[in-house]
Amino acid sequence: MESSTTPGGRTRRETTRQKLYEAAVTLIAEQGFSATTVDEIAERAGVAKGTVYYNFASKSVLFEELLRHGVGLLAASLREAAERTAREGGSKVDALDAMVHAGLVFIDRYPSFTQLYVAELWRTNRAWQSTLMVVRQEVVAVVEGVLREGVENGEFSEEIDVQLTAAALVGMVLVAALDWQAFQPERSLDDVHSALSRLLQGRVSGRR
Protein backbone atom coordinates (compact mmCIF):
# COMPACT_ATOMS: atom_id res chain seq x y z
CA MET A 1 0.00 0.00 0.00
CA GLU A 2 2.87 2.40 0.77
CA SER A 3 4.03 2.37 -2.85
CA SER A 4 0.65 3.05 -4.48
CA THR A 5 0.24 6.38 -6.25
CA THR A 6 -1.86 9.28 -4.97
CA PRO A 7 -3.91 11.54 -7.31
CA GLY A 8 -1.10 14.13 -7.17
CA GLY A 9 1.39 11.73 -8.70
CA ARG A 10 3.35 10.94 -5.54
CA THR A 11 3.53 7.51 -3.99
CA ARG A 12 1.91 7.12 -0.60
CA ARG A 13 5.34 6.81 0.95
CA GLU A 14 6.52 10.06 -0.65
CA THR A 15 3.41 11.81 0.64
CA THR A 16 3.95 10.42 4.13
CA ARG A 17 7.62 11.44 4.15
CA GLN A 18 6.65 14.96 3.04
CA LYS A 19 4.21 15.20 5.96
CA LEU A 20 6.96 14.06 8.33
CA TYR A 21 9.43 16.58 6.89
CA GLU A 22 6.93 19.40 7.35
CA ALA A 23 6.06 18.33 10.88
CA ALA A 24 9.69 17.90 11.91
CA VAL A 25 10.93 21.18 10.49
CA THR A 26 8.13 23.15 12.15
CA LEU A 27 8.58 21.53 15.56
CA ILE A 28 12.37 21.67 15.54
CA ALA A 29 12.32 25.31 14.45
CA GLU A 30 9.92 26.06 17.30
CA GLN A 31 11.57 24.17 20.16
CA GLY A 32 14.93 22.76 19.05
CA PHE A 33 16.09 19.33 17.97
CA SER A 34 16.69 17.85 21.43
CA ALA A 35 13.33 18.96 22.81
CA THR A 36 11.36 17.57 19.88
CA THR A 37 10.21 13.98 20.25
CA VAL A 38 9.24 11.38 17.68
CA ASP A 39 5.79 11.23 19.32
CA GLU A 40 5.32 14.95 18.65
CA ILE A 41 6.48 14.63 15.05
CA ALA A 42 4.07 11.76 14.45
CA GLU A 43 1.19 13.64 16.08
CA ARG A 44 1.86 16.81 14.08
CA ALA A 45 2.07 14.79 10.86
CA GLY A 46 -1.13 12.91 11.68
CA VAL A 47 0.48 9.46 11.54
CA ALA A 48 1.26 6.67 13.98
CA LYS A 49 4.63 6.69 15.74
CA GLY A 50 5.52 3.44 14.00
CA THR A 51 5.15 5.18 10.65
CA VAL A 52 8.02 7.50 11.54
CA TYR A 53 10.32 4.54 12.20
CA TYR A 54 9.05 2.76 9.08
CA ASN A 55 10.30 5.67 6.99
CA PHE A 56 13.32 6.76 9.06
CA ALA A 57 15.51 4.73 11.38
CA SER A 58 15.67 7.50 13.99
CA LYS A 59 14.93 11.15 14.65
CA SER A 60 18.50 12.01 13.63
CA VAL A 61 18.11 10.19 10.31
CA LEU A 62 14.83 12.01 9.72
CA PHE A 63 16.53 15.35 10.32
CA GLU A 64 19.47 14.44 8.10
CA GLU A 65 17.12 13.49 5.28
CA LEU A 66 15.16 16.67 5.91
CA LEU A 67 18.32 18.69 5.29
CA ARG A 68 19.00 16.81 2.06
CA HIS A 69 15.42 17.22 0.91
CA GLY A 70 15.11 20.93 1.67
CA VAL A 71 18.48 21.96 0.31
CA GLY A 72 17.86 19.81 -2.76
CA LEU A 73 14.71 21.81 -3.45
CA LEU A 74 16.61 25.08 -3.04
CA ALA A 75 19.44 23.98 -5.34
CA ALA A 76 16.94 22.83 -7.96
CA SER A 77 15.12 26.17 -7.88
CA LEU A 78 18.38 28.09 -8.32
CA ARG A 79 19.48 25.82 -11.16
CA GLU A 80 16.14 26.17 -12.93
CA ALA A 81 16.33 29.98 -12.63
CA ALA A 82 19.80 30.03 -14.20
CA GLU A 83 18.81 27.64 -16.99
CA ARG A 84 15.66 29.62 -17.77
CA THR A 85 17.70 32.82 -18.03
CA ALA A 86 20.13 31.13 -20.39
CA ARG A 87 17.28 29.90 -22.60
CA GLU A 88 15.96 33.44 -22.77
CA GLY A 89 19.36 34.78 -23.83
CA GLY A 90 20.11 36.63 -20.60
CA SER A 91 23.56 37.45 -19.27
CA LYS A 92 25.29 35.75 -16.34
CA VAL A 93 24.43 38.75 -14.16
CA ASP A 94 20.81 38.23 -15.20
CA ALA A 95 21.16 34.57 -14.20
CA LEU A 96 22.53 35.50 -10.78
CA ASP A 97 19.72 38.01 -10.33
CA ALA A 98 17.14 35.36 -11.25
CA MET A 99 18.76 33.02 -8.72
CA VAL A 100 18.51 35.69 -6.01
CA HIS A 101 14.80 35.99 -6.75
CA ALA A 102 14.36 32.21 -6.76
CA GLY A 103 16.15 32.01 -3.42
CA LEU A 104 13.86 34.62 -1.90
CA VAL A 105 10.79 32.79 -3.21
CA PHE A 106 12.05 29.55 -1.65
CA ILE A 107 12.76 31.20 1.71
CA ASP A 108 9.38 32.91 1.69
CA ARG A 109 7.74 29.55 1.06
CA TYR A 110 9.83 27.57 3.56
CA PRO A 111 10.79 30.01 6.33
CA SER A 112 11.02 27.40 9.10
CA PHE A 113 13.38 25.24 7.08
CA THR A 114 15.56 28.23 6.23
CA GLN A 115 15.81 29.29 9.87
CA LEU A 116 16.72 25.74 10.83
CA TYR A 117 19.29 25.37 8.06
CA VAL A 118 21.06 28.65 8.88
CA ALA A 119 21.10 27.81 12.60
CA GLU A 120 22.63 24.38 11.93
CA LEU A 121 25.40 25.90 9.81
CA TRP A 122 26.81 27.44 12.99
CA ARG A 123 26.81 24.22 15.00
CA THR A 124 29.84 21.92 15.01
CA ASN A 125 28.82 19.00 17.24
CA ARG A 126 26.02 17.45 15.23
CA ALA A 127 26.06 13.88 13.92
CA TRP A 128 24.97 15.17 10.53
CA GLN A 129 27.76 17.78 10.19
CA SER A 130 29.28 16.06 7.16
CA THR A 131 25.87 15.88 5.48
CA LEU A 132 25.32 19.57 6.16
CA MET A 133 28.61 20.42 4.47
CA VAL A 134 27.66 18.33 1.44
CA VAL A 135 24.24 19.92 1.00
CA ARG A 136 25.67 23.41 1.57
CA GLN A 137 28.12 22.82 -1.24
CA GLU A 138 25.28 21.60 -3.46
CA VAL A 139 23.71 25.07 -3.33
CA VAL A 140 26.96 27.02 -3.54
CA ALA A 141 28.11 24.93 -6.52
CA VAL A 142 25.13 26.09 -8.58
CA VAL A 143 26.18 29.71 -8.10
CA GLU A 144 29.85 28.86 -8.67
CA GLY A 145 28.95 27.39 -12.05
CA VAL A 146 27.35 30.63 -13.24
CA LEU A 147 30.25 32.71 -11.94
CA ARG A 148 32.84 30.51 -13.67
CA GLU A 149 30.95 30.74 -16.95
CA GLY A 150 30.85 34.52 -16.55
CA VAL A 151 34.61 34.63 -16.01
CA GLU A 152 35.21 32.37 -18.99
CA ASN A 153 33.13 34.49 -21.37
CA GLY A 154 34.66 37.73 -20.13
CA GLU A 155 31.55 39.07 -18.40
CA PHE A 156 33.23 38.92 -14.98
CA SER A 157 36.76 39.80 -14.00
CA GLU A 158 39.27 36.96 -13.74
CA GLU A 159 40.18 38.37 -10.34
CA ILE A 160 36.88 37.22 -8.86
CA ASP A 161 37.30 34.57 -6.18
CA VAL A 162 34.58 32.26 -7.49
CA GLN A 163 34.23 30.06 -4.39
CA LEU A 164 34.13 32.90 -1.90
CA THR A 165 31.88 35.07 -4.07
CA ALA A 166 29.41 32.22 -4.53
CA ALA A 167 29.30 31.57 -0.79
CA ALA A 168 28.87 35.29 -0.15
CA LEU A 169 25.95 35.56 -2.56
CA VAL A 170 24.18 32.57 -1.00
CA GLY A 171 24.82 33.97 2.46
CA MET A 172 23.57 37.41 1.42
CA VAL A 173 20.25 36.01 0.27
CA LEU A 174 19.78 33.80 3.34
CA VAL A 175 20.61 36.47 5.91
CA ALA A 176 18.79 39.29 4.12
CA ALA A 177 15.67 37.16 3.73
CA LEU A 178 15.64 36.11 7.38
CA ASP A 179 16.16 39.72 8.46
CA TRP A 180 13.30 40.73 6.16
CA GLN A 181 10.93 38.19 7.65
CA ALA A 182 11.92 38.83 11.26
CA PHE A 183 12.34 42.61 11.33
CA GLN A 184 10.88 44.10 8.13
CA PRO A 185 7.85 41.93 7.31
CA GLU A 186 6.03 44.93 5.84
CA ARG A 187 8.36 44.79 2.82
CA SER A 188 7.24 42.78 -0.20
CA LEU A 189 9.33 40.07 -1.81
CA ASP A 190 9.78 42.24 -4.88
CA ASP A 191 11.00 45.11 -2.70
CA VAL A 192 13.65 42.92 -1.07
CA HIS A 193 14.66 41.47 -4.42
CA SER A 194 15.02 44.95 -5.89
CA ALA A 195 17.39 46.00 -3.11
CA LEU A 196 19.55 42.88 -3.46
CA SER A 197 19.46 43.20 -7.25
CA ARG A 198 20.93 46.70 -7.08
CA LEU A 199 23.68 45.43 -4.80
CA LEU A 200 24.39 42.56 -7.16
CA GLN A 201 24.47 44.79 -10.25
CA GLY A 202 26.88 47.21 -8.62
CA ARG A 203 29.27 44.82 -6.94
CA VAL A 204 29.41 41.66 -9.01
CA SER A 205 28.99 43.10 -12.47
CA GLY A 206 31.00 46.21 -11.79
CA ARG A 207 28.26 48.45 -13.15
CA ARG A 208 27.79 51.93 -11.73
Side-chain angles (χ1 to χ4, degrees):
M1 291 294 291
E2 283 287 344
S3 62
S4 60
T5 304
T6 64
R10 288 178 175 172
T11 65
R12 290 188 182 279
R13 186 172 190 185
E14 288 171 340
T15 299
T16 298
R17 288 167 75 92
Q18 182 64 35
K19 288 180 180 178
L20 291 172
Y21 288 144
E22 292 171 358
V25 73
T26 302
L27 287 166
I28 295 172
E30 288 174 354
Q31 58 195 35
F33 177 81
S34 298
T36 300
T37 66
V38 172
D39 285 335
E40 289 174 319
I41 293 172
E43 181 179 359
R44 180 69 66 92
V47 301
K49 181 177 180 180
T51 300
V52 180
Y53 290 115
Y54 175 80
N55 286 274
F56 304 99
S58 66
K59 183 176 71 170
S60 292
V61 171
L62 167 57
F63 187 70
E64 190 170 350
E65 288 301 312
L66 170 63
L67 289 173
R68 291 183 184 276
H69 175 71
V71 175
L73 291 177
L74 174 57
S77 68
L78 298 183
R79 191 175 299 110
E80 197 281 328
E83 291 173 350
R84 183 178 63 251
T85 303
R87 290 194 302 271
E88 295 172 352
S91 68
K92 296 308 175 186
V93 172
D94 292 332
L96 291 173
D97 187 54
M99 294 164 83
V100 168
H101 186 268
L104 291 173
V105 170
F106 175 89
I107 294 166
D108 189 45
R109 183 176 181 183
Y110 303 108
S112 294
F113 173 79
T114 305
Q115 293 168 16
L116 205 56
Y117 172 67
V118 172
E120 289 301 316
L121 285 175
W122 292 99
R123 301 181 188 276
T124 58
N125 60 343
R126 298 297 205 192
W128 50 78
Q129 190 67 23
S130 60
T131 296
L132 189 62
M133 293 301 99
V134 170
V135 296
R136 170 200 168 275
Q137 185 54 34
E138 182 181 354
V139 172
V140 174
V142 179
V143 183
E144 286 181 1
V146 173
L147 287 170
R148 286 199 177 92
E149 290 172 1
V151 171
E152 291 170 0
N153 69 17
E155 188 173 344
F156 302 144
S157 168
E158 293 182 355
E159 296 179 358
I160 286 181
D161 185 320
V162 171
Q163 289 183 317
L164 188 56
T165 301
L169 288 173
V170 172
M172 174 185 75
V173 174
L174 288 172
V175 174
L178 291 178
D179 184 88
W180 157 44
Q181 294 183 333
F183 303 111
Q184 305 179 65
E186 71 281 359
R187 289 181 177 269
S188 68
L189 189 152
D190 287 340
D191 187 24
V192 177
H193 173 239
S194 179
L196 296 185
S197 181
R198 284 193 291 271
L199 180 61
L200 173 70
Q201 297 286 347
R203 298 304 181 185
V204 176
S205 71
R207 298 174 188 172
R208 294 294 184 266

